[in-house]
Amino acid sequence: MEILLKVNNLNVEYTGKRIVQALRDVSFDVRQGEIVGIIGESGGGKTTLAYSIINLLPGNTRINGDIELKGKNILSFNEKELRSLRGREIGIIPQDPAAAFNPVFTIGYQFEEFLKSKGFFFGKEERVLFMEELLRKVHLFYPQRILKSYPHQLSGGQLQRAMIALTIAVKPSLLIADEPTSSLDVTVESQLMHMFLNLRKELGLTIIFITHNLGLIEVLCDRVVVLYRGQVKEVGDKTSVIFSPQDGYTKSLRDSFKAIEEVENGFVES
Ligand SMILES: Nc1ncnc2c1ncn2[C@@H]1O[C@H](COP(=O)(O)OP(=O)(O)OP(=O)(O)O)[C@@H](O)[C@H]1O
Ligand SMILES: [Mg+2]
């Protein structure tokens, strides 16, 4: 499979009162059509990695290394190239969907403004149909009601789906989902997993899926990057990383995952 994204010896440091080395010599690649999981504990550098890939880190960061999308180094992009990269080439679903929407405008209005900002200008009727179809794709089956709603009138799962619909509207080459299910309950989480698998099949999306849950990696991903304190501990096929982990940190992840599964399945002796 063709390589879509290549990250090579990426180092990211937050400077300020205290210097934090958030990523250290991170290297991995993502092939066309794959779902790659990034797993690691809180503070390990997952979100930093996501925003490095769209070259949108805050001003107080020092970044070096290479990030190539379709063979072009995005770290040397000019403003115009960056605008097309963010949101058009690469779509990102942020960790907190509620915060990503503006509370004073309806979802429909924000959807419309987003489409305009990405250069989609069609007539009103056509646009409404387009938005409704996208919302159905992410399993929001009453799209007219969703479009008329304000963010606070929707549940966390609905907002998350609306955000996904917005992101896939422009058919990005790469979709990055930053822990998209961490605030949702298990049923909604499992529906979303199926939705991601369907979207990949239907739209041929390539996805980077960030999580701290090995169970979700097992259901969804082809390959996994294990990130621990800013360093890549292991990269490999899902099955080999989960079932025969080489690294001590990956082993401990797998063991705690097995323990949770056993409790859920009632295998623990009391
Ligand atoms: N804007 C910032 N300024 C300074 N330090 C930061 C900033 N953002 C993140 N960090 C630090 O960088 C490290 C990596 O943070 P990051 O948010 O990338 O981790 P994460 O794996 O996404 O964690 P979580 O699972 O909690 O979302 C942490 O030590 C964090 O405190
Ligand atoms: Mg994060």
Side-chain angles (χ1 to χ4, degrees):
M1 263 185 295
E2 206 177 313
I3 290 180
L4 180 68
L5 178 81
K6 205 169 176 54
V7 175
N8 244 333
N9 297 318
L10 180 68
N11 286 280
V12 175
E13 246 177 33
Y14 292 102
T15 60
K17 278 197 197 121
R18 206 166 57 92
I19 290 182
V20 179
Q21 174 116 39
L23 296 175
R24 221 180 275 261
D25 275 331
V26 168
S27 300
F28 66 97
D29 44 37
V30 177
R31 301 164 200 154
Q32 190 82 47
E34 267 192 320
I35 304 185
V36 172
I38 311 267
I39 188 164
E41 63 190 25
S42 184
K46 303 182 298 297
T47 298
T48 303
L49 180 58
Y51 284 91
S52 306
I53 295 172
I54 53 168
N55 197 344
L56 195 61
L57 287 168
N60 66 332
T61 31
R62 262 201 298 267
I63 176 164
N64 68 62
D66 289 314
I67 304 177
E68 285 178 13
L69 183 78
K70 298 177 183 167
K72 286 189 192 149
N73 190 0
I74 63 134
L75 297 179
S76 57
F77 273 10
N78 62 28
E79 276 307 309
K80 191 168 164 235
E81 289 169 314
L82 282 176
R83 262 199 308 279
S84 125
L85 177 81
R86 299 169 186 154
R88 189 99 209 208
E89 280 284 347
I90 304 182
I92 188 157
I93 305 166
Q95 205 161 349
D96 179 3
F101 283 107
N102 187 331
V104 303
F105 297 114
T106 62
I107 301 293
Y109 177 80
Q110 296 186 57
F111 219 131
E112 220 175 288
E113 289 302 301
F114 174 80
L115 289 177
K116 279 190 211 154
S117 77
K118 299 296 168 202
F120 283 70
F121 293 100
F122 18 51
K124 186 167 178 359
E125 249 169 62
E126 204 185 347
R127 187 171 59 230
V128 170
L129 288 177
F130 179 69
M131 294 192 293
E132 288 181 3
E133 191 195 322
L134 275 167
L135 290 173
R136 281 194 204 95
K137 271 204 172 68
V138 296
H139 299 184
L140 288 168
F141 296 113
Y142 300 97
Q144 288 159 353
R145 202 181 72 204
I146 301 284
L147 289 172
K148 282 196 192 110
S149 301
Y150 288 89
H152 73 271
Q153 295 171 316
L154 301 180
S155 71
Q158 287 173 321
L159 277 178
Q160 191 63 276
R161 280 159 213 246
M163 182 47 74
I164 295 168
L166 202 96
T167 314
I168 61 171
V170 298
K171 294 207 174 73
S173 311
L174 175 67
L175 180 71
I176 304 176
D178 190 0
E179 306 211 43
T181 61
S182 52
S183 59
L184 307 175
D185 64 42
V186 177
T187 338
V188 181
E189 184 172 73
S190 124
Q191 288 167 359
L192 269 176
M193 291 304 103
H194 285 104
M195 195 204 68
F196 276 117
L197 286 170
N198 276 339
L199 286 176
R200 181 219 338 230
K201 207 156 68 184
E202 239 182 86
L203 307 174
L205 274 179
T206 305
I207 302 174
I208 292 182
F209 186 82
I210 296 175
T211 182
H212 55 261
N213 183 339
L214 204 57
L216 300 184
I217 297 266
E218 194 178 7
V219 178
L220 191 66
C221 300
D222 305 306
R223 286 193 309 129
V224 198
V225 177
V226 180
L227 201 61
Y228 178 66
R229 298 199 176 164
Q231 281 181 296
V232 172
K233 288 291 174 182
E234 201 162 338
V235 184
D237 283 347
K238 163 180 72 183
T239 34
S240 58
V241 172
I242 296 180
F243 296 107
S244 47
Q246 299 301 308
D247 176 80
Y249 173 67
T250 320
K251 281 183 191 147
S252 68
L253 262 182
R254 197 241 352 232
D255 293 344
S256 53
F257 169 60
K258 270 192 355 210
I260 294 169
E261 251 195 341
E262 283 169 7
V263 171
E264 281 174 352
N265 292 326
F267 291 154
V268 171
E269 290 172 25
S270 52

